[in-house]
Amino acid sequence: MKLKTKLNGEIFQFRNINDVLAKANEPKSGDRLQGIAASNETERVAAKIVLANLTIEDLVENPTIPYEKDEVTRVNIDGLNQPVYKKMKSMSIGELREWILDYHTTGDDLTRASRAFTGEVVAAVAKIMGSMDLVYGASKINRITRCNTEIGQPGTLSYRCQANSTTDNPETILLGVMEGISYGSGDACLGINPVEDNVDSTRRIADALYEFICKNDIPTQITVLSHITTQIDAIKKGAPLSMIFQSIAGNQLTNDNFGVNKELLHEGYKAAYEHGISSGPNLLYFETGQGSEVSVGCDCGVDEMTLEARTYGFARYFNPFMVNNVSGFIGPETIFDGKEMIRANLEDHFMGKLIGLPMGMAPCFTNHTSITMDDQQMATMLLAMAGANYYMGVPVGDDVMLAYQDTSFHDDAALRDMTNRKPAPEFHQWMIKKGLMDENGRLTDLAGDGSIFLK
């Protein structure tokens, strides 16, 4: 395994694979904060050259955090399909990039290959790709999942309706949901972030959402994003949840900080399977994003992009219904500006799809960064071209409870129109029945009038 190269008359010797992966990464403030980023562009290019000549086997056999010390590493490696891995392990990362981008390599080929890769492998190949490579490679892959309804089909684009309240007031939440649903946002799920993480609040919100969808016969999913232990308790006590949500990370140390592990996620799936209001088989919803590990001081010296890819290898094991990426949500200490946010989102979407996940995206930013709405919209449009499964739908794009900016109901409608994509099939038929959308997926004049649900 060669970790040295000569470039522009200078010899670059990297300490180990962790060092190569970190220095090959495109600029990220989280890596600079850790002190592991490339010192200049020449060193970055040298690291990419070294990385391109490493093999899939090199990266699998030398994980960034040792197998015996980290549950996420073990799940990544134990999740490999050995016949597929053995067939591909001698391929260099440069050769893997060329194969992914080859016109003759199909989405089915990439899907079959997905379990030959750990997080380190998909991070490595993404690090030597340009933005168009990331968009084109991801656009080949479709990942279809089912909870109550089915999302991810070719020609569809789905949304989570996220009408949060600063007081967990069900009436306030429902007013936002009514508007969102009337715009066609909510076919992925009605997903509410509670202010108070307790069973009573979780159940009160879920009950209100369930009464609303039953009254209007809306085909969708319900989730309330309290901690997994709260949701398990609530669903066992009768809360009408369709699936179980949890934020996860790329190493065991951060997951410990989040209060989650493999065993607890199994317990969450079991609770949704036995007590939830959906048939599945995909019953978990994960949220991720570059920088979560460094933000809590648990990065273990690994760059934030590689840690994010390891998160996807961990998520793959549980066959989730949705994975939502929120790189940009934490702040300038992890993603500094619009350029870093756009690049991180394209990387994450590609890596998640390549490793086998149903990737939804939330190109977003908090109010204390220099990221702008233009940056966010550029990322959103590029990801739509790349084939993201779903986005958020937030009233006027401004989440009043979480204090961050995301895609609005109007953005959702515009994206579908620009890409000629429709809602999930069951939801589309419901929209037609309600007179909110036509057969071609175009909104009618009724769209945007949430008061129709009050009549």
Side-chain angles (χ1 to χ4, degrees):
M1 186 171 63
K2 186 178 178 183
L3 299 177
K4 181 169 69 173
T5 192
K6 186 176 182 180
L7 182 64
N8 294 341
E10 184 178 355
I11 294 175
F12 292 88
Q13 175 70 60
F14 299 96
R15 296 189 308 275
N16 49 36
I17 282 180
N18 291 28
D19 193 31
V20 175
L21 286 167
K23 289 182 167 56
N25 200 12
E26 291 299 304
K28 304 282 174 55
S29 59
D31 298 340
R32 296 191 294 273
L33 179 63
Q34 293 181 71
I36 60 175
S39 57
N40 53 54
E41 287 302 315
T42 303
E43 185 179 32
R44 193 184 325 280
V45 172
K48 289 178 187 285
I49 291 169
V50 170
L51 188 57
N53 287 291
L54 296 176
T55 66
I56 291 173
E57 184 177 22
D58 288 334
L59 288 152
V60 171
E61 293 298 320
N62 296 276
T64 50
I65 304 174
Y67 182 94
E68 62 276 8
K69 293 183 177 181
D70 189 271
E71 182 178 68
V72 174
T73 300
R74 293 192 290 274
V75 171
N76 266 258
I77 292 176
D78 294 348
L80 295 176
N81 178 276
Q82 289 301 316
V84 181
Y85 169 64
K86 288 174 182 176
K87 182 179 178 181
M88 300 188 72
K89 67 179 184 179
S90 62
M91 186 182 287
S92 73
I93 299 303
E95 289 169 340
L96 176 60
R97 173 187 176 273
E98 294 301 309
W99 178 74
I100 291 168
L101 299 177
D102 191 301
Y103 180 78
H104 297 96
T105 303
T106 67
D108 287 342
D109 294 331
L110 294 172
T111 298
R112 283 191 292 270
S114 64
R115 286 185 58 212
F117 311 136
T118 59
E120 282 85 353
V121 174
V122 298
V125 72
K127 288 172 190 286
I128 63 169
M129 285 182 158
S131 294
M132 191 175 291
D133 297 340
L134 295 170
V135 171
Y136 178 63
S139 72
K140 294 184 178 188
I141 307 168
N142 290 298
R143 175 65 173 153
I144 301 168
T145 54
R146 183 174 186 85
C147 189
N148 279 324
T149 61
E150 194 168 80
I151 63 172
Q153 289 188 19
T156 67
L157 182 57
S158 297
Y159 298 99
R160 167 187 155 192
C161 186
Q162 180 179 301
N164 292 335
S165 163
T166 55
T167 59
D168 286 344
N169 184 332
E171 290 186 4
T172 304
I173 290 167
L174 285 177
L175 288 174
V177 168
M178 289 174 191
E179 182 187 20
I181 289 284
S182 74
Y183 275 115
S185 180
D187 55 330
C189 71
L190 308 181
I192 306 301
N193 299 86
V195 177
E196 296 185 23
D197 189 347
N198 59 54
V199 170
D200 289 343
S201 185
T202 298
R203 184 165 185 180
R204 185 167 59 250
I205 294 168
D207 284 341
L209 293 174
Y210 186 60
E211 181 181 356
F212 173 69
I213 68 168
C214 288
K215 180 179 178 181
N216 295 281
D217 199 26
I218 304 171
T220 189
Q221 288 72 219
I222 293 172
T223 182
V224 180
L225 286 74
S226 47
H227 190 267
I228 184 171
T229 52
T230 305
Q231 293 170 77
I232 290 171
D233 196 4
I235 201 171
K236 287 181 177 179
K237 292 178 178 178
L241 299 173
S242 308
M243 55 188 167
I244 296 291
F245 164 87
Q246 180 57 41
S247 293
I248 57 173
N251 60 16
Q252 183 175 332
L253 194 59
T254 308
N255 280 335
D256 287 346
N257 188 280
F258 289 174
V260 66
N261 54 41
K262 179 181 174 182
E263 182 181 356
L264 185 56
L265 291 171
H266 274 304
E267 185 181 343
Y269 180 90
K270 185 172 183 288
Y273 185 86
E274 294 178 354
H275 304 282
I277 58 167
S278 60
S279 57
N282 310 110
L283 300 173
L284 294 177
Y285 171 15
F286 295 136
E287 195 161 83
T288 73
Q290 285 193 38
S292 58
E293 299 85 1
V294 68
S295 73
V296 294
C298 297
D299 51 82
C300 300
V302 181
D303 71 274
E304 63 183 28
M305 178 185 169
T306 300
L307 286 166
E308 180 69 4
R310 286 167 49 90
T311 307
Y312 301 149
F314 186 64
R316 174 180 59 189
Y317 174 82
F318 300 96
N319 200 19
F321 177 65
M322 301 165 61
V323 177
N324 182 46
N325 173 274
V326 292
S327 288
F329 179 77
I330 296 171
E333 67 272 28
T334 59
I335 302 291
F336 183 72
D337 58 17
K339 186 175 181 180
E340 291 188 9
M341 182 273 289
I342 293 170
R343 174 71 192 193
N345 274 268
L346 296 181
E347 291 166 348
D348 295 347
H349 179 252
F350 168 79
M351 294 189 300
K353 271 194 163 183
L354 183 60
I355 214 166
L357 293 178
M359 289 301 294
M361 299 302 298
C364 59
F365 61 101
T366 47
N367 296 329
H368 65 301
T369 71
S370 61
I371 300 170
T372 68
M373 183 183 292
D374 276 348
D375 297 325
Q376 187 259 351
Q377 290 182 352
M378 283 187 276
T380 302
M381 289 184 285
L382 285 168
L383 290 161
M385 186 179 293
N389 275 24
Y390 71 95
Y391 295 91
M392 299 296 102
V394 175
V396 300
D398 185 0
D399 193 303
V400 296
M401 193 276 279
L402 293 173
Y404 84 111
Q405 311 299 311
D406 211 321
T407 46
S408 70
F409 302 144
H410 303 80
D411 296 334
D412 295 351
L415 279 172
R416 280 198 184 123
D417 201 31
M418 287 189 292
T419 59
N420 194 30
R421 293 162 76 182
K422 301 173 183 176
E426 303 97 328
F427 193 88
H428 183 210
Q429 290 304 309
W430 177 84
M431 290 282 289
I432 294 171
K433 182 179 177 181
K434 295 293 289 186
L436 293 165
M437 186 174 280
D438 66 21
E439 292 280 352
N440 297 315
R442 300 295 298 271
L443 291 172
T444 68
D445 291 342
L446 279 178
D449 182 6
S451 70
I452 63 173
F453 298 107
L454 297 174
K455 298 174 183 177

